[in-house]
Amino acid sequence: MAADTIYKNGKIATVNETFDFVQAMAVKDGRILFCGSEEEAEKWRGKETETVSLEGRLVLPGTFDSHIHAAYAGLSMAPEFVTCEPEDAGNLAELNGLLAEKANHLPEDAWMIGWGFKLDGIREWREEKRLPDWRDIAEGAKGHPVILHDGGLHRILVSARALELAGITKDTIFSKEEGTMYRFPDGSPTGLFTDFGTQARIGRAAYHLSEEEMEACIRRMQRKLNSYGITSHTDIVGIGGDDLCFGTFGQPAIRAYERLSEKEGLTARVFLNLLAGKNGVQSSDAILGGLEEMELPKFQNRDWVRADTVKIFGDDGWSRDGKSGYCMFPGETDQEQIADMRKTILELHRRGWQMGIHLTGGKGIDAAVAALTEAERQLPGRDLRHFLLHGSALVTQNIADCAANGIELAAQAVGGYVFGGGTDLKTPLQMGMRISQGSDGPALPMNWIWGLHYLVNRENREGKLCRPELALDLKDAICFYTRNAAYQNHAEAALGSLEPGKYADFQILDRDLFTIDPKEIKDTVVLETVCGGKTVYKKI
């Protein structure tokens, strides 16, 4: 069998079990035929075989972003989207200026959406020690319905017109599991809301993307990911997100992925985490009922799009001492909330669904790990590979339980690069817990190289060291973004390393990560990205 292409004269990190380096790679029909020496690669040459000289460059497997809000990230790249990071808007005048700049070019009553505002990022909110309200954005909104997300996507600030169109008044009542509507002293809504149930109520009245617009978001986002060497990614979408973020969290995004797959229009592989809780609510009834109602495509080519995982939002900073955060499941007491989370986890495990559980607080982690451990004990050997998302409050007992039961961790080292601090990943690694890495984009940058830099150096973007004793070996850190992410998504037979039989998904870098000063990792640039044997990005 003759190869379509032979890549030679390079340093190819296969990232196989022994992390071997080779000089050449032969590719046929999008899959790898051979990895080894240049001399042996010539055995695969035919009359039509093309030769590509790597010119001594380093080749790595394509990166797998194991946690990203991908369709929404594509929306955030649209020119009409409002970005309100602190560097863009540090006070209300600047924030309103950004809004007005967009509003001036939109038809009357057109919906506006944006993200990135932080309570400590706007001077007035910080200095006056108060929460924002709709009056703060009235000047810039210019009468438009506006939805602004905070940096974590759990909180929104909306304009007066958005409240009006959604029918939200002082008489509106939300259940605990839907979230919180903040009120003025007279009971009327301030425009600030937390969690997905409240967001869905407003989003139901908002604009929803057309099929063409949704596909454009996905294409736009995947091109950006390709520029960072990313060839596979997740997305969190489902019936629970139909009315979130113009539908980019919903079933329309699932259908758009499948349409693009059928048209061979994807440039990265997609692994969907299903947001099943109807109307954005996290409860056993909403999640299990949502799964039953969801109409998933047949996924004609599961090597490009598949959906085997249910995404659960377990808590938001629910601390072990109960002094901060909260559980996102219903119940008047902690015990009732934990019981409903446990019920959901046990039943999803019984039905054979993999679970990815968002957990940022210690109490939520304790409850979820206990339930997952019980599920594995009741029905062992199912190889579902459940995983925790974020896991920023893991303690030694959690890690031991996870390692013993095959429960994995999907973390975001790029957050450490941006903000400093960051989760201790050295202890879970040493204790046998499998770890993958994602960006959580667009809440965080999608450049995986920055996360790699932080893992190896524990140095943030300002050059400050953050617990350098937790720095990891470069090979281990690369595995987080490749082999481990593929394994977490049951794709290790086809992805995650460069070995015969696997897909030719790889990236060519401008420098050798294994020989440069580790402090230079952050400056590494992807020169070319190949997915399925086809170049999907090339730096000009």
Side-chain angles (χ1 to χ4, degrees), residues 55-298:
E55 299 179 349
R57 303 291 191 186
L58 176 66
V59 176
L60 291 177
T63 303
F64 195 136
D65 190 318
S66 68
H67 182 168
I68 181 173
H69 303 277
Y72 178 59
L75 176 63
S76 74
M77 297 173 197
E80 64 272 18
F81 195 87
V82 184
T83 301
C84 306
E85 291 286 9
E87 55 264 32
D88 301 316
N91 56 56
L92 288 178
E94 292 174 348
L95 175 58
N96 278 285
L98 286 173
L99 290 169
E101 182 181 351
K102 306 291 183 179
N104 287 335
H105 299 286
L106 291 174
E108 184 178 356
D109 242 14
W111 282 80
M112 296 168 58
I113 189 169
W115 79 284
F117 82 82
K118 293 178 175 63
L119 297 182
D120 60 355
I122 299 297
R123 188 188 67 230
E124 289 85 347
W125 301 339
R126 182 176 64 250
E127 293 179 354
E128 297 169 20
K129 297 181 180 179
R130 67 175 178 88
L131 294 174
D133 62 64
W134 62 262
R135 297 171 301 186
D136 291 326
I137 59 173
E139 181 180 350
K142 294 183 176 294
H144 285 272
V146 177
I147 300 174
L148 291 181
H149 285 87
D150 71 350
L153 305 181
H154 286 264
R155 186 178 304 183
I156 60 172
L157 175 63
V158 306
S159 67
R161 182 58 174 153
L163 292 171
E164 181 183 354
L165 291 175
I168 306 293
T169 69
K170 64 189 305 182
D171 298 321
T172 301
I173 303 295
F174 289 100
S175 64
K176 171 195 170 296
E177 55 267 33
E178 286 181 293
T180 301
M181 178 177 84
Y182 291 84
R183 299 173 184 270
F184 289 117
D186 66 356
S188 61
T190 67
L192 185 66
F193 299 82
T194 61
D195 288 329
F196 301 122
T198 59
Q199 293 184 35
R201 186 89 66 93
I202 294 162
R204 204 164 299 133
Y207 181 72
H208 288 61
L209 297 180
S210 68
E211 289 187 356
E212 293 76 15
E213 289 169 327
M214 188 70 77
E215 289 183 17
C217 284
I218 292 169
R219 290 178 187 271
R220 186 185 303 124
M221 172 273 307
Q222 289 203 333
R223 286 195 296 270
K224 186 68 171 180
L225 293 179
N226 295 155
S227 73
Y228 294 133
I230 298 169
T231 55
S232 296
H233 65 85
T234 60
D235 200 354
I236 293 90
V237 288
I239 193 171
D242 282 354
D243 296 316
L244 298 178
C245 304
F246 291 3
T248 55
F249 275 55
Q251 295 175 101
I254 299 176
R255 294 191 287 269
Y257 278 121
E258 181 64 4
R259 287 195 304 272
L260 286 170
S261 174
E262 292 171 354
K263 294 187 288 190
E264 298 185 356
L266 295 174
T267 57
R269 305 177 195 281
V270 184
F271 296 75
L272 301 175
N273 293 187
L274 298 176
L275 183 57
K278 291 189 296 183
N279 299 316
V281 171
Q282 301 301 291
S283 72
S284 59
D285 289 342
I287 291 171
L288 297 174
L291 281 174
E292 292 170 358
E293 288 185 27
M294 240 185 304
E295 296 181 0
L296 295 175
K298 292 183 179 179

Side-chain angles (χ1 to χ4, degrees), residues 284 329-330 333-344:
S284 59
F329 278 76
T333 66
D334 291 358
Q335 291 74 21
E336 290 174 347
Q337 294 162 7
I338 290 171
D340 199 57
M341 184 194 298
R342 172 183 172 275
K343 176 183 176 182
T344 307

Side-chain angles (χ1 to χ4, degrees), residues 317-324 361-366 393-395 398:
W318 197 24
S319 65
R320 291 183 173 90
D321 61 12
K323 293 181 179 179
S324 63
K363 196 160 195 172
I365 288 174
D366 293 345
L394 283 166
V395 294
N398 300 145

